[in-house]
Amino acid sequence: MPGPDMIPFAQNPHPAPMAEDARAAILANPGFGTAFTDHMVSIDWAEAHGWHNAQILPYGPIALDPAAAVLHYAQEIFEGMKAYALEDAGTTAGTMGGITLFRPEANAARFNASARRLAMPEMPPALFVDAVTQLVLADRQWFPTVPGGSLYLRPFLFATEAFLGVRPAKAYRFLVIASPAGNYFKSGASAVSIWVSDYTRAAAGGTGEAKCGGNYAASLVPTADAFARGHDQVLFLDAAERKWIEELGGMNLFFAFDDGSLITPPLGGTILPGITRDSLLTLARDEGLTVREERYSLDAWRADAESGKLVEAFACGTAAVVTSVGKVANASGAFTIGSGGPGQLTERLRQRLVAIQRGHAPDPHGWVKRIA
Ligand code: PLP
Ligand code: COI
């Protein structure tokens, strides 16, 4: 029996889904974010009707009024999450086996926090999770066949009202699209290299903790700069003192010390509250490790890496999972973390997280939601 927050979904299956051999070629080498499944979910919101017109329809271009507010004032938010195919049914991944989501209610909660900051309508968490689930089930033959593969899900909401005055829009569209995903980093590197930007990403009171497209637009020049210099990601320092480490363009950071303790920057409104970050904090504490959510400066990072007090650093996020940082550079020089390669603690925490996500280990915190 659907709850009061649930609405019926019209089913409009794709009349001509991708041919099996073309799909198989993608699933054998998915990369990140370049291929999309046969379907998408769409739900509209209007002041008079709330959430309505939910449907699953063929993936494809959408029509937007040229005056739609999102195209002018960037009123848009999104989420990033993954579905995993279990190997428990003894079948090819994704064909008939079980399927899970990882902490989808946490994504729903963060989506609503972003919506509040961008003056957009909140979505009942059950409807958010239902929308994502329906798409995964419609496109369950789209799980990658490579080790470590998953189905990356991108729910997003944008202002569709045709109006050029600057105020919150009165009409929105929510879409979910899905993309088979392998390694986020093109190099497939076991440790990534980071460029510390002179640009900043977010100031106190801004939108740093919201997952809105505008934050990423502002990060593109520094990201392109990092790529042009041969690095994999950009690192942002705080906007007030240009001293404290905040986060990467699309990931949170952790630092590991020779006494076995960890530090990660605190959530103070300017960094994204990563669900991977939160999960790793919990797993590290479960192991008895001391983890501090504490400010850490770039100067301290360099000094501790050089003295050997800092032994590992790693990036974490849905797309990137957990990846060691091997090298850090800015305009005044570069330094190496440990041997410059993958770290042992990083690898252990990565394996513990992935084992839970993929159903290979018990799930003591109830993070895994089985949807098939
Ligand atoms: N920080 C930024 C800027 C991100 O874009 C992401 C990815 O979503 C993260 C951190 C990590 O968040 P999560 O672990 O929830 O994917
Ligand atoms: C994610 O990890 O889901 C993100 O949204 C980050 C982005 C860099 C792909």
Side-chain angles (χ1 to χ4, degrees):
M1 186 70 179
D5 290 335
M6 303 301 259
I7 55 176
F9 276 70
Q11 306 282 336
N12 301 307
H14 203 304
M18 188 180 288
E20 197 173 334
D21 52 347
R23 188 177 71 229
I26 292 170
L27 299 182
N29 185 19
F32 183 87
T34 54
F36 301 93
T37 63
D38 293 317
H39 296 95
M40 60 187 189
V41 159
S42 176
I43 312 179
D44 294 323
W45 186 92
E47 241 181 2
H49 310 289
W51 296 103
H52 66 288
N53 193 25
Q55 46 178 325
I56 301 220
L57 69 168
Y59 180 94
I62 54 175
L64 261 189
D65 192 293
V70 65
L71 300 178
H72 304 272
Y73 310 127
Q75 204 185 2
E76 189 266 359
I77 58 170
F78 67 97
E79 270 304 318
M81 52 204 292
K82 283 175 171 173
Y84 303 91
L86 301 177
E87 290 142 33
D88 59 357
T91 53
T92 309
T95 50
M96 288 299 287
I99 300 175
T100 61
L101 300 173
F102 185 71
R103 305 187 69 181
E105 289 83 7
N107 292 96
R110 187 171 65 187
F111 192 67
N112 281 340
S114 300
R116 288 191 294 275
R117 181 63 184 83
L118 274 286
M120 299 169 89
E122 293 184 48
M123 177 174 259
L127 179 58
F128 178 96
V129 176
D130 189 35
V132 163
T133 300
Q134 297 229 20
L135 181 61
V136 174
L137 297 182
D139 284 334
R140 61 189 298 167
Q141 70 282 19
W142 275 92
F143 280 87
T145 47
V146 288
S150 58
L151 192 58
Y152 183 79
L153 304 167
R154 174 55 63 87
F156 58 112
L157 177 67
F158 53 94
T160 52
E161 188 193 359
F163 178 61
L164 294 183
V166 181
R167 57 136 173 84
K170 294 182 177 172
Y172 297 88
R173 188 163 180 195
F174 172 80
L175 296 178
V176 191
I177 57 174
S179 175
N183 204 320
Y184 180 74
F185 291 108
K186 226 188 275 154
S187 60
S190 54
V192 292
S193 170
I194 277 171
W195 172 253
V196 185
S197 185
D198 289 333
Y199 288 97
T200 60
R201 175 182 176 278
T207 57
E209 68 183 343
K211 205 161 167 62
C212 58
N215 287 344
Y216 297 80
S219 78
L220 298 179
V221 163
T223 297
D225 194 23
F227 290 169
R229 293 166 191 269
H231 301 280
D232 301 291
Q233 268 283 301
V234 64
L235 168 79
F236 294 107
L237 300 176
D238 76 290
E241 295 179 67
R242 310 283 182 113
K243 173 177 176 175
W244 305 103
I245 294 163
E246 298 243 294
E247 63 179 324
L248 304 183
M251 292 141 222
N252 295 116
L253 272 176
F254 278 78
F255 307 95
F257 298 90
D258 58 357
D259 64 357
S261 68
L262 289 161
I263 285 182
T264 192
L267 303 178
T270 56
I271 71 174
L272 194 80
I275 294 160
T276 317
R277 173 189 180 278
D278 183 75
S279 306
L280 291 169
L281 280 172
T282 303
L283 292 179
R285 285 174 178 146
D286 285 354
E287 273 196 21
L289 299 177
T290 301
V291 193
R292 294 190 298 274
E293 293 175 75
E294 198 173 282
R295 297 208 294 182
Y296 190 56
S297 70
L298 178 63
D299 287 344
W301 193 8
R302 186 191 300 268
D304 291 345
E306 283 167 3
S307 74
K309 181 177 165 198
L310 176 116
V311 290
E312 299 179 31
F314 58 86
C316 65
T318 298
V321 195
V322 177
T323 306
S324 285
V325 175
K327 194 177 151 193
V328 184
N330 69 358
S332 57
F335 59 96
T336 302
I337 315 293
S339 63
Q344 272 180 10
L345 174 62
T346 303
E347 186 52 22
R348 190 170 80 234
L349 287 173
R350 189 188 69 78
Q351 282 176 11
R352 289 204 53 201
L353 176 68
V354 169
I356 295 172
Q357 288 172 331
R358 294 187 177 274
H360 296 153
D363 172 28
H365 302 287
W367 288 338
V368 174
K369 183 180 172 74
R370 189 152 182 164
I371 59 169

